[in-house]
């Protein structure tokens, strides 16, 4: 080939191919890509459609059972067994529910527990006869409830199955007072004509709890503190030109404070209120009503108060007051030592901190001066919770006490500016290293445990310690429920009667709706945060949100285990203030939880519709419409629910401590729309009484009549303050006392500000059971590091221990044996 020909070929080879030569391969690739995209879109659409249909099927079948059970309960409550029997299929075949076979399991302090024993087979007529005979044993029935606990089979409407929670409050024949019957039943349903019919039922477990006499008596009317709590006027629509975005917040506030503000040895009461908060002085004789000294003390005109905490922040021996004011600046009042207070807010340097809900005092840096942590919610004028997991609250604040009457905001430096919707905070030395750690409880989301590093800073150790505790958190308390000398944590949450709804079909529908309705753009950072904290198990997160109160057991190695279910520490309800308290002085701390939310018409409930709307209509949710009280109409929302009293049963055969609910038997199951709880020995009898605040209802003051049956010890700690080099704060907040009787230990730590917007006694109480002496008491002081030991002293005394003085001083303030006793009680 010639040289020219070769060059010609090379040029041809170098030339780009004509378009037509590549058109077919490119077209094929585009067609394939288009098909793939269409397939992906089609599969995505099919998956979303399947998820939507499955989620709706789950909801509708669950709702059908809920509605059927409600009608059955209504018929039973009316004693109409004929209508009740109409819900049983002809082919019904179950087993006895054991209502006619009650066997005494326990009798303690007059509270009797009977177990139901079922088992033998029953056809329809035999089953209805068992219900007739059961109702015939009741002289009076107050209420009956049937609730779905879990949906266990729901795919086909012809074969539905659920575990069902049964509850009856009534007076059995021959009994002087009403008791409560509870049972967990397995029930199967099928479709018959226009509705569901029960085709089988059997007993899983059940018991009756009843007593001849109550353990507590409400003496608030006689004590003059049963006035009705009032809404904060700016929360009400008639007082506002622009509606609140989060208007349901009006149902929240109602804290309460027990404080000996005048140092006479008798605990007084400060009761926050939406319109006019009040200070009541306890006259101490148990016959005269508490005296309203609000005006005389210089504390008049305090509206919009959610929390009031009294602490000796200037170490002068008198308790000063921090008082929150919602849409107005919070205030600090100095105790003048003569029963009066002076507003020192301006010179103290406390910021306005809108929307404060709770607060806690502690000496976080161990410099001898009490510092203040302020917990805040969101501003309801501007925002609503973003999702079920909200992080759009007003940042909490930490104020360092400068020791000269002023405070400095050190939130950023300390690293504790939590931005959840805070409803609870508490300081406690969970790792026993000598400095107070901080636990923060948030509504709509997670909790945060801050470990104190001892250098003025805190580290978020929530995930590694196992203390996330997802849920609608309302309050937190530190306490040693299992007597192992470690601080455990109790968190108040919501345990919904519709917790069954938190299953994978609902979660799947929620997630797809998040995408379909476009809210993922704003919510994705929150989901990623959950992913980093808890992995991919979103179903477990949803279930935690509805699972109720959380008991976190301290393992002693810096971690906690959630033992709520196995210990029986999470009763149903919408809970607020909760406390660890040894009410019966047996040496084991019990738990009391305040319950209730929106009290509209009895027998109505909005929650299931609300939950379904949240899953279905996210765009509307973002407007706040579902949170508008006008949207509730006449319906209640967790309304008309009773407070819960969980008595510790101590360790079982396996060594585990468990609780049993005894509120109806003890007279503590108040129907008060309760919020805050303040615990104190109001008449120095060696027992812990309770003041219970109510939202738009009358407050209660429960006199403890059971604790006096056993021995006790009360310890007052007095920090040395400036009188001792490295002296602890005067209120001894953070100091710890351990007592030993034989091999048994009990531990208490002084806490100032826990529960829900409340303050409890700073005097530490120990139930001693039958023991009439203490073998050893150890007092540990957090700042000085001093450890004081006292051996071999008698019980039933109030003893004072001062930091650095190795002596026990008995305090004799005066004792009232039966305060505000009714005439029949005085005669007996």
């Amino acid at each position: 080939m010639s040289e020219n020909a070769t060059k010609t070929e090379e040029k041809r080879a170098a030339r780009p191919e004509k378009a037509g030569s590549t058109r077919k391969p490119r077209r094929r690739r585009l067609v394939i890509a288009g098909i793939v995209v269409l397939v992906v879109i089609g599969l995505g659409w099919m998956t979303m459609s399947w998820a939507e249909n499955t989620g709706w099927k789950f909801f509708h079948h669950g709702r059908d059972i809920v509605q059927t059970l409600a009608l059955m309960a209504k018929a039973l409550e009316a004693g109409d067994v004929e209508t009740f029997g109409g819900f049983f299929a002809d082919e019904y075949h179950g087993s006895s529910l054991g209502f006619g076979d009650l066997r005494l399991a326990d009798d303690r302090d007059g509270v009797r527990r009977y177990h139901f024993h079922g088992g033998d087979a029953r056809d329809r007529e035999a089953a209805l006869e068992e219900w007739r005979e059961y109702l015939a044993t009741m002289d009076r029935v107050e209420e009956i409830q049937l609730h779905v606990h879990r949906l266990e089979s729901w795919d086909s409407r012809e074969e539905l199955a659920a575990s069902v929670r049964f509850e009856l409050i009534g007076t059995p024949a021959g009994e002087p007072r009403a008791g409560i019957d509870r049972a967990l039943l397995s029930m199967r349903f099928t479709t018959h004509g226009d509705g569901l019919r029960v085709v089988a039922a059997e007993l899983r477990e059940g018991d009756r709890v009843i007593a001849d006499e109550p353990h507590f008596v409400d003496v608030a009317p006689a004590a003059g503190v049963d006035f009705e709590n009032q809404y904060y006027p700016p929360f009400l629509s008639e007082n506002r030109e622009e509606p609140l975005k989060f208007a349901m917040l009006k149902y929240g506030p109602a804290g309460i404070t027990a404080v000996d503000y005048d140092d006479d040895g008798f605990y007084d009461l400060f009761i926050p209120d939406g319109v006019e908060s009040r200070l009541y002085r306890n006259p101490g004789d148990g016959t005269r009503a508490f005296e309203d000294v609000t005006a005389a003390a210089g504390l008049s005109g305090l509206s919009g108060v959610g929390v009031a905490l009294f602490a000796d922040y200037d170490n002068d021996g008198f308790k000063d007051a921090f008082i929150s004011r919602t849409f107005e600046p919070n205030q600090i009042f100095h105790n003048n030592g003569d029963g009066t207070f002076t507003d020192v807010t301006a010179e103290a340097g406390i910021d306005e901190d809108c929307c404060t809900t709770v607060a806690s005092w502690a000496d976080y840096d161990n410099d001898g001066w009490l510092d203040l942590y302020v917990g805040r919610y969101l501003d309801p004028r501007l925002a609503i919770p973003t999702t079920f997991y909200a992080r759009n609250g007003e940042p909490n604040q930490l104020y360092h006490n400068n020791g000269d009457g002023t405070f400095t905001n050190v939130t950023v430096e300390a690293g504790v500016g939590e931005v959840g919707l805070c409803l609870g905070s508490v300081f406690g030395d969970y790792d026993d290293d000598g400095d107070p750690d901080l636990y923060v409880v948030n509504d709509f989301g997670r909790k945060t445990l801050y470990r104190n590093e001892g250098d003025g800073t805190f580290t978020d150790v929530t995930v590694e310690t196992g203390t996330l505790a997802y849920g609608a958190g309302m309050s937190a308390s530190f306490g040693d429920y299992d007597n192992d000398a470690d601080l455990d944590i109790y968190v108040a949450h919501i345990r919904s009667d519709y917790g069954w709804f938190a299953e994978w079909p609902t979660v799947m529908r929620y997630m797809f709706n998040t995408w379909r309705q476009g809210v993922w753009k704003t919510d994705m950072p929150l989901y990623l945060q959950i992913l980093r904290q808890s992995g991919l198990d979103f179903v477990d997160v949803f279930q935690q949100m509805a699972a109720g109160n959380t008991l976190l057991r301290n393992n002693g190695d810096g971690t906690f285990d959630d033992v709520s279910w196995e210990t029986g520490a999470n009763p149903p309800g919408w809970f607020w203030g909760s406390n660890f308290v040894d009410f019966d002085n047996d040496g084991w701390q019990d738990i009391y939880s305040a319950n209730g939310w929106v009290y509209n018409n009895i027998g109505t409930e909005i929650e299931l519709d609300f939950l379904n709307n949240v899953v279905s209509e996210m765009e509307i949710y973002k407007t706040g419409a579902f949170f508008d009280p006008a949207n509730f109409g006449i319906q209640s929302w967790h309304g008309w629910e009773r407070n819960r009293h969980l008595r510790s049963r101590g360790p079982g055969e396996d060594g585990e401590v468990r609780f049993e609910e005894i509120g109806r038997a003890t007279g503590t199951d108040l129907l008060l729309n309760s919020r805050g709880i303040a615990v104190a020995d109001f008449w120095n009898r060696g027992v812990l009484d309770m003041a219970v605040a109510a939202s738009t209802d009358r407050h209660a003051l429960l006199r403890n009549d059971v604790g006096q049956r056993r021995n006790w010890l009360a310890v007052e700690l007095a920090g040395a303050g400036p009188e001792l080099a490295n002296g602890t704060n005067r209120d001894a907040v953070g100091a710890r006392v351990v007592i030993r009787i034989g091999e048994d230990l009990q531990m208490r730590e002084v806490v100032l500000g826990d529960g829900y917007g409340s303050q409890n006694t700073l005097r530490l109480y120990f139930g001693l059971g039958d023991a009439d002496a203490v073998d050893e008491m150890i007092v540990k002081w957090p700042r000085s590091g001093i450890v004081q030991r006292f051996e071999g002293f008698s019980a039933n005394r109030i003893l004072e221990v001062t930091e650095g003085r190795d002596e026990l001083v008995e305090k004799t303030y005066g004792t009232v044996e039966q305060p505000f006793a009714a005439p029949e009680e005085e005669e007996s």
Side-chain angles (χ1 to χ4, degrees):
M1 182 180 294
S2 69
E3 186 176 341
N4 289 336
T6 302
K7 290 181 179 178
T8 301
E9 287 299 321
E10 289 175 352
K11 288 178 181 178
R12 281 180 187 161
R15 269 190 234 139
E17 294 182 356
K18 294 181 180 178
S21 64
T22 60
R23 190 172 296 152
K24 289 182 180 179
R26 288 181 178 177
R27 184 177 296 163
R28 280 197 297 269
R29 287 196 295 271
L30 288 172
V31 169
I32 291 170
I35 291 172
V36 170
V37 170
L38 289 173
V39 169
V40 170
I41 291 173
L43 288 174
W45 180 84
M46 290 172 62
T47 302
M48 283 194 287
S49 296
W50 176 80
E52 180 79 356
N53 293 335
T54 302
W56 275 110
K57 180 192 291 185
F58 178 77
F59 168 71
H60 285 303
H61 289 177
R63 186 183 62 180
D64 288 347
I65 298 177
V66 167
Q67 292 174 343
T68 299
L69 292 174
L71 292 172
M72 293 171 67
K74 185 177 181 180
L76 272 182
E77 193 172 298
D80 186 354
V81 179
E82 181 177 350
T83 298
F84 177 73
F87 292 97
F88 282 65
D90 291 339
E91 65 270 26
Y92 176 93
H93 187 78
S95 61
S96 167
L97 303 181
F99 296 149
D101 187 3
L102 277 72
R103 304 177 193 177
L104 184 64
D106 184 50
D107 187 348
R108 182 175 166 204
D109 291 332
V111 175
R112 288 169 279 131
R113 179 179 295 277
Y114 299 87
H115 285 166
F116 297 144
H117 288 264
D120 57 306
R122 298 289 172 103
D123 60 14
R124 180 179 185 277
E125 290 308 315
L128 293 178
E129 184 58 28
E130 181 178 27
W131 282 103
R132 285 191 193 92
E133 292 176 355
Y134 173 52
L135 293 179
T137 66
M138 295 287 170
D139 283 345
R140 180 169 178 261
V141 173
E142 295 180 29
E143 63 180 67
I144 294 178
Q145 297 184 32
L146 286 164
H147 295 287
V148 174
H149 178 62
R150 288 284 183 270
L151 278 187
E152 296 173 350
S153 177
W154 53 269
D155 194 53
S156 169
R157 204 170 186 273
E158 303 306 313
E159 296 182 8
L160 300 176
S163 52
V164 174
R165 189 166 52 82
F166 167 76
E167 189 171 283
L168 177 148
I169 297 177
T171 307
E175 294 283 0
R177 298 176 61 244
I180 188 164
D181 291 353
R182 296 190 181 96
L184 187 64
L185 311 175
S186 291
M187 300 183 76
R188 289 193 296 112
F189 304 82
T190 191
T191 301
H192 271 249
D194 59 345
L196 297 181
R197 298 293 181 269
V198 181
V199 294
E202 63 180 23
L203 176 72
R204 290 191 182 178
E205 60 185 27
D207 59 21
R208 170 176 294 170
V209 180
I210 196 166
D212 291 347
E213 296 179 351
H215 288 177
F216 288 78
V217 175
D218 185 3
V219 297
V225 295
D226 66 334
F227 72 93
E228 186 172 304
N229 172 269
Q230 302 173 83
Y231 287 131
Y232 182 40
F235 280 163
L236 303 178
S237 59
E238 59 267 27
N239 296 327
R240 297 188 57 82
E241 294 182 5
E242 294 291 331
L244 294 177
K245 287 185 178 295
F246 194 57
M248 66 185 278
L249 194 61
K250 75 174 185 178
Y251 298 113
I256 195 163
T257 299
V259 56
D260 182 9
Y261 83 96
D262 55 357
D263 289 323
D264 66 352
F266 287 90
Y267 270 81
D268 314 296
L269 280 173
F270 184 91
I271 306 181
D273 190 69
V275 175
E276 180 68 30
S277 302
R278 307 183 198 182
L279 175 64
Y280 286 95
R281 181 180 177 275
N282 182 355
D285 62 4
T287 60
R288 289 178 294 151
F290 282 46
E291 180 186 0
D292 185 343
V293 295
T294 312
L299 296 176
S300 296
L302 296 176
S303 61
V305 178
V307 59
L309 293 186
F310 288 71
D312 184 6
Y313 74 81
D314 54 3
N315 283 330
D316 67 352
F318 302 103
K319 289 177 175 53
D320 315 294
F322 166 79
I323 295 177
S324 73
R325 297 298 306 279
T326 309
F327 294 158
E328 300 173 65
N330 297 333
Q331 292 176 261
I332 290 273
F333 290 87
H334 177 259
N335 189 327
N336 301 317
D338 59 1
T340 67
F341 293 81
T342 299
D343 186 345
V344 294
T345 308
E347 49 264 51
I350 298 292
D351 296 333
E352 293 188 6
D353 296 336
C354 160
C355 313
T356 295
T357 49
V358 294
S360 300
W361 290 93
D363 182 7
Y364 81 93
D365 56 353
N366 272 337
D367 66 353
W369 303 91
L370 285 176
D371 311 296
L372 176 66
Y373 190 72
V374 176
R376 305 161 76 196
Y377 206 77
L378 53 69
D379 188 334
R381 298 167 296 188
L382 306 175
I384 66 166
T386 47
T387 68
F388 68 93
Y389 181 80
R391 304 291 293 165
N392 64 325
E394 296 291 316
N396 296 348
Q397 306 294 320
L398 176 63
Y399 292 96
H400 175 261
N401 188 334
N402 300 319
D404 59 2
T406 69
F407 293 81
T408 299
N409 191 323
V410 294
T411 309
V412 175
E413 302 95 301
V416 290
E418 166 64 76
V419 293
L421 278 53
C422 182
L423 287 176
S425 63
V426 59
F427 282 100
D429 187 5
Y430 82 89
D431 51 3
D432 195 18
D433 65 352
D435 45 39
D437 310 295
L438 173 64
Y439 194 59
V440 178
V441 167
N442 299 309
D443 197 1
F444 290 89
R446 58 167 276 175
K447 316 303 173 288
T448 301
L449 178 60
Y450 291 108
R451 183 181 64 215
N452 192 327
E453 300 297 347
D455 59 1
T457 68
F458 292 78
T459 300
D460 181 345
V461 294
T462 313
V463 175
E464 54 262 49
T465 57
T467 53
L468 275 166
Y470 288 107
M474 308 293 187
S475 67
S477 298
F478 274 120
D480 182 15
Y481 85 94
D482 52 0
N483 285 349
D484 64 355
D486 290 319
L487 286 177
D488 311 296
I489 303 174
Y490 193 65
V491 185
H493 279 133
I494 298 170
R495 178 174 162 191
S496 170
D497 284 329
Y498 307 98
W500 59 267
F501 191 48
E503 289 286 356
W504 68 265
T506 301
V507 177
M508 189 169 55
R509 181 158 66 99
Y510 181 91
M511 291 304 180
F512 277 121
N513 281 337
T514 298
W515 176 267
R516 190 169 59 182
Q517 297 182 26
V519 301
W520 65 271
K521 299 172 186 176
T522 56
D523 294 352
M524 186 58 70
L526 299 172
Y527 300 149
L528 291 176
Q529 188 176 123
I530 294 173
L531 187 68
R532 289 192 296 270
Q533 293 167 175
S534 305
L536 289 169
D537 195 352
F538 278 79
V539 174
D540 181 63
V541 173
F542 268 67
Q543 289 178 339
Q544 284 188 51
M545 291 282 183
N549 292 357
T550 304
L551 177 60
L552 298 171
R553 181 179 61 205
N554 191 331
N555 296 319
D557 60 1
T559 67
F560 292 77
D561 284 336
D562 184 342
V563 294
S564 313
W565 285 96
E566 50 264 53
T567 59
N570 61 338
W574 187 306
F575 293 104
W576 297 86
S578 295
N579 290 91
F580 288 110
V581 192
D582 184 1
F583 287 119
D584 52 8
N585 279 337
D586 67 348
W588 297 92
Q589 289 191 297
D590 313 301
I591 296 172
Y592 191 77
S593 275
N595 188 9
W597 181 227
V598 179
Y599 278 36
N600 284 332
N601 285 8
I602 297 177
T604 62
E605 180 57 57
I606 196 176
E607 185 172 1
L608 184 55
D609 288 335
F610 172 84
L611 293 173
N612 186 54
N613 283 334
V614 170
V615 173
S616 307
E617 304 290 348
M618 296 181 184
E619 293 168 304
I620 299 177
Y621 173 92
K622 297 291 187 183
T623 69
F626 296 144
F627 296 118
D628 189 342
N631 189 49
F632 307 164
I634 60 172
Q635 296 184 87
S636 291
W637 192 352
H638 271 279
W640 309 101
E641 293 187 346
R642 299 175 183 275
N643 295 355
R644 302 288 184 169
H645 180 164
L646 306 179
R647 179 172 68 179
S648 175
R649 295 164 59 182
E653 293 181 1
D654 59 359
E656 294 295 324
V657 176
R658 293 180 175 82
F659 297 88
E660 56 188 355
E661 207 288 310
I662 59 171
R664 164 54 45 161
T666 57
T668 54
D669 64 333
L670 304 178
L671 200 62
L672 275 184
N673 202 11
S674 305
R675 296 292 186 267
I677 303 165
V679 174
D681 181 2
F682 286 101
W683 299 283
N684 297 329
R685 301 173 301 143
V687 299
L688 288 168
D689 312 293
M690 274 190 297
V692 182
S695 175
T696 62
D697 208 332
R698 294 188 173 276
H699 308 301
L701 180 58
L702 297 179
R703 185 191 70 205
N704 184 338
D705 288 346
V706 66
Q708 291 177 299
R709 304 179 188 187
R710 298 184 178 89
N711 296 317
W712 55 277
L713 174 71
V715 181
E716 289 186 355
L717 298 181
E723 295 179 7
L724 180 71
N726 295 322
T728 299
N729 63 87
R730 293 280 193 189
D731 283 334
V733 175
R736 182 174 288 194
V737 175
V738 178
I739 69 165
R740 179 179 61 81
I741 301 174
E743 298 299 317
D744 297 329
L745 299 177
Q746 293 183 55
M747 183 268 287
R748 304 283 188 270
E749 184 170 306
V750 181
V751 174
L752 208 170
D754 63 344
Y756 174 73
S758 298
Q759 179 174 337
N760 301 299
T761 176
L762 299 185
R763 192 186 292 163
L764 302 179
Y765 278 77
F766 299 85
L768 307 183
D770 296 329
D772 58 7
V774 173
D775 294 328
E776 183 180 29
M777 179 170 70
I778 302 170
V779 182
K780 297 171 64 176
W781 297 92
R783 187 181 186 220
S784 65
I786 292 173
V787 177
Q788 295 171 278
R789 297 178 183 271
F790 306 91
E791 296 182 351
F793 53 88
S794 60
N796 302 322
R797 296 190 291 167
I798 301 174
L799 299 177
E800 182 183 65
V801 178
T802 299
E803 183 178 19
R805 298 180 191 171
D806 291 331
E807 61 177 336
L808 296 176
V809 177
E810 184 168 2
K811 309 294 285 188
T812 54
Y813 299 115
T815 300
V816 181
E817 291 300 326
Q818 195 75 332
F820 301 108
E824 58 270 20
E825 291 177 313
E826 293 176 343
E827 290 174 7
S828 63

